[in-house]
Amino acid sequence: MICPCPACRGADHMAATSNKVLLCGINPGVESARSQHHYSHHSNHFYKALALSGITSRLFLPSEDATFPSLSPYTIGLTNLASRPTSQATELGKEELSAGAPILLGKIRSCRPRLVGFVGKGIAAAFSKAVGDASKGGEARKTLVVRVPKETALAWQPESKSEAGYGLMKVCCLCPTVKAEGTAAEDASGGAGHEEKRVTLFWSGASTSARVTSLQLPDKARWFQRMRGLLDHLKAAGDTQLLAEDLVVSGEDGEAFKTVELEVI
């Protein structure tokens, strides 16, 4: 059975081009498939964590998830790595998660969010493995050096053992935006302007499932809050376009920022 939730069906209004962040779960639960709303089970901490972190201005109900792409100040898209509903994520096969990675990348390149947030570091790890396996035997990946606030957590460089796997991921995506206009001479000769690129960053966050007891609600909300800090930095680059050249830097780190090298997927 394929999940009927709107964001589990290819390109859709839940993953619109205006969204500043695309939040990705692992797959729909049985209750979400039944209700056709994300994170519908009453025990899930998703909506509470968003409200506590300040990403949403109030506590929303699952039935209000269709309003997320129009929220302020953060427009939010919702999707999943796999589309088949299960009562537990462990019922998914590795092949299903691997197959979902290129589909997710297609959504990202289409809707061009500034940040993709995985709602669970296990989801982030499954995605990373899938895109890593896909690149084996090919050319070495290109890298970009980007500037982020100094307090940004790095998933590959945790400050403590308990923070391992959480934070900014070591990959990014270059998404095509609008084509820049050519000169009059280029237009006359049939030439075209160059295609601009937007950098999409990836964040490995906390699972909001009540089954994850290693983190309680305040801890889960804290990781959303830390993601919000990075989102504010990206949002400050402009409300309409975040082009690659806005993030790529050279020279020494500033007092408030640090530079990190990310692989382009």
Side-chain angles (χ1 to χ4, degrees), residues 6-7 9-19 65-69 76-78:
R9 300 195 304 257
D12 49 70
H13 70 280
M14 299 294 268
T17 56
S18 60
N19 291 325
D65 61 354
T67 67
F68 273 39
I76 302 169
L78 300 172

Side-chain angles (χ1 to χ4, degrees), residues 243-262:
L243 303 179
E245 50 265 38
D246 292 331
L247 278 179
V248 177
V249 297
S250 59
E252 297 297 323
D253 294 353
E255 291 184 3
F257 301 98
K258 60 186 175 186
T259 56
V260 293
E261 187 175 21
L262 305 179

